[in-house]
Amino acid sequence: MVMNMWYSKHSPVFETKNSKSIVHPFIVKGHRGLTINPYQGCQHRCGYCYATYEWSPEFYDKIYAKSNAPEVLESQLKSWKSETIEPVMVSSATDAYQPAELKYGLTQKCIEVLQKHNVPYYVFTKSTLIERDLKLHQKYKDDCFLVWSITTCDEKIRRLMEPGTPPAHSMFKVIKKFTDAGVCCGVNIDPIMPFITDSQSQLQEIIDSCHDSGVPYVFGALLRLRSDIWERVKIILKLLHIENGIDQYKKTIYQFREPLEPWCNVTVNESYESRVLQNLEEKVSEKGMIFDFPDLIRSRRLNSNQSYNGGQQVTLTSYM
Ligand code: SF4
């Protein structure tokens, strides 16, 4: 099956479907976690997206709204077998606040259900539409944590690399409204793309904007390659005219030979990674922010305010 490319001027097709189950457990680095994805596919069209698996070749072009998601979530939480529940990640394989949310409102309804059952949650997004739900998250501010994934403040790069996302300056304006409202927010600079978004000046611009927006927590991670992602990244390197970029990725930064094994992840070499991340940590700390994400929310006894300290809780950095 041929994967559609991320760059397209066509709007995606929206379809609805019913899901049997919406809360799904997943294991990250040996830790348990829960996730909900109210949509399948994503209009943000990031070329480096990790969620573009072979079973969803129309990932960028056909967005499925799981129209019964709030009802299924309600029923799953009502019949939850355990006394406790881990924080829920909204969402792991799509952006819950992509444009489809304006039409269907499923994320908003799912958040209301999570709050009703006293379930803590994290939101990961690149969206400004989340501003619509500022009051909703604000009233739950001790039990939620909102993270914006921001890769670049350079508009030329953003328009090419993630054409469906809003510009960084718009996201920071929205973040400021959330931090002013007392909601705990973080920025995840992820992925940092070698030779594309890894320069000191680019990272500093994001860090300065985080600081100006009142963000207390900043984290970052380097791009991981997979065979399909590599095909798209090669095009991005070529379109940005990055001289020897493809060779440098293969020989120096990732050290692999083509073809890449299907669905196998390749990470950057350790010295490059520690150089970039140490520099990032230093710059973040200089601004008085924390280079980490907090374990703000513990597992909960379902439908109760009591936290539960047993078990191995998934933390935000486990998702990175
Ligand atoms: S916002 Fe996230 S899920 Fe959507 S295309 Fe970008 S990386 Fe993929």
Side-chain angles (χ1 to χ4, degrees):
M1 232 182 281
V2 178
M3 161 68 66
N4 285 345
M5 278 302 182
W6 81 99
Y7 53 84
S8 165
K9 291 209 164 23
H10 298 294
S11 299
V13 174
F14 292 146
E15 278 192 21
T16 55
K17 69 184 223 178
N18 281 332
S19 287
K20 288 194 180 127
S21 166
I22 190 79
V23 184
H24 294 285
F26 70 106
I27 306 274
V28 195
K29 299 177 192 165
H31 297 268
R32 289 177 290 119
L34 294 171
T35 182
I36 62 170
N37 288 287
Y39 301 95
Q40 182 184 316
C42 187
Q43 197 177 343
H44 283 160
R45 312 191 80 97
C46 308
Y48 49 73
C49 181
Y50 301 128
T52 55
Y53 284 99
E54 62 184 342
W55 55 83
S56 58
E58 297 167 309
F59 183 82
Y60 301 116
D61 296 316
K62 193 179 256 187
I63 312 298
Y64 290 98
K66 300 176 186 173
S67 49
N68 62 345
E71 293 76 25
V72 174
L73 177 61
E74 174 81 46
S75 125
Q76 281 190 277
L77 292 178
K78 270 189 184 155
S79 57
W80 199 252
K81 294 222 164 47
S82 164
E83 232 183 84
T84 61
I85 190 158
E86 284 89 30
V88 168
M89 182 190 198
V90 186
S91 5
S92 59
T94 183
D95 193 315
Y97 281 102
Q98 61 177 297
E101 173 61 10
L102 268 185
K103 181 174 163 76
Y104 297 103
L106 295 170
T107 301
Q108 185 183 49
K109 289 183 192 136
C110 286
I111 296 283
E112 285 165 356
V113 175
L114 291 174
Q115 292 188 358
K116 178 178 154 194
H117 289 272
N118 201 41
V119 178
Y121 58 85
Y122 310 114
V123 176
F124 275 74
T125 186
K126 291 173 183 291
S127 176
T128 49
L129 295 182
I130 191 173
E131 186 181 349
R132 182 201 61 190
D133 291 350
L134 195 155
K135 287 213 160 22
L136 181 65
H137 295 297
Q138 187 187 19
K139 73 173 180 171
Y140 207 66
K141 64 184 165 60
D142 295 330
D143 292 300
C144 68
F145 185 60
L146 312 185
V147 182
W148 278 262
S149 303
I150 299 183
T151 55
T152 182
C153 293
D154 183 318
E155 271 299 279
K156 181 179 156 210
I157 296 175
R158 182 197 63 78
R159 280 200 292 264
L160 192 145
M161 196 168 74
E162 43 183 55
T165 61
H169 66 82
S170 311
M171 283 194 263
F172 280 115
K173 266 193 203 155
V174 170
I175 294 172
K176 176 91 172 52
K177 291 183 184 170
F178 277 89
T179 58
D180 285 349
V183 182
C184 192
C185 300
V187 164
N188 190 23
I189 310 175
D190 184 12
I192 300 170
M193 310 275 288
F195 304 127
I196 301 173
T197 62
D198 63 344
S199 69
Q200 298 237 8
S201 58
Q202 287 216 54
L203 294 173
Q204 189 65 53
E205 203 175 347
I206 300 178
I207 293 166
D208 291 344
S209 303
C210 289
H211 179 255
D212 295 346
S213 312
V215 173
Y217 300 98
V218 181
F219 202 68
L222 273 306
L223 173 74
R224 295 190 306 274
L225 287 181
R226 208 175 52 198
S227 54
D228 59 328
I229 297 171
W230 174 230
E231 291 309 312
R232 298 193 296 264
V233 170
K234 277 196 282 191
I235 299 172
I236 293 171
L237 288 165
K238 278 187 200 159
L239 290 172
L240 288 171
H241 306 292
I242 296 177
E243 210 177 323
N244 297 325
I246 293 175
D247 274 355
Q248 294 281 352
Y249 265 57
K250 289 197 287 189
K251 289 185 188 148
T252 317
I253 305 292
Y254 290 89
Q255 299 170 334
F256 67 94
R257 286 206 185 138
E258 290 187 277
L260 276 173
E261 289 289 312
W263 316 114
C264 149
N265 280 308
V266 185
T267 53
V268 292
N269 74 62
E270 278 180 24
S271 70
Y272 170 81
E273 180 171 57
S274 58
R275 181 162 50 79
V276 174
L277 294 186
Q278 271 172 20
N279 171 60
L280 188 60
E281 181 169 7
E282 262 174 47
K283 303 291 176 204
V284 167
S285 307
E286 274 170 21
K287 289 279 182 185
M289 299 180 290
I290 297 165
F291 184 68
D292 200 355
F293 285 149
D295 300 340
L296 285 181
I297 21 190
R298 296 201 165 279
S299 301
R300 272 293 177 75
R301 292 197 189 281
L302 201 57
N303 295 312
S304 138
N305 275 327
Q306 291 177 313
S307 67
Y308 170 71
N309 293 322
Q312 194 182 23
Q313 190 208 332
V314 70
T315 64
L316 270 175
T317 40
S318 307
Y319 292 109
M320 304 301 144

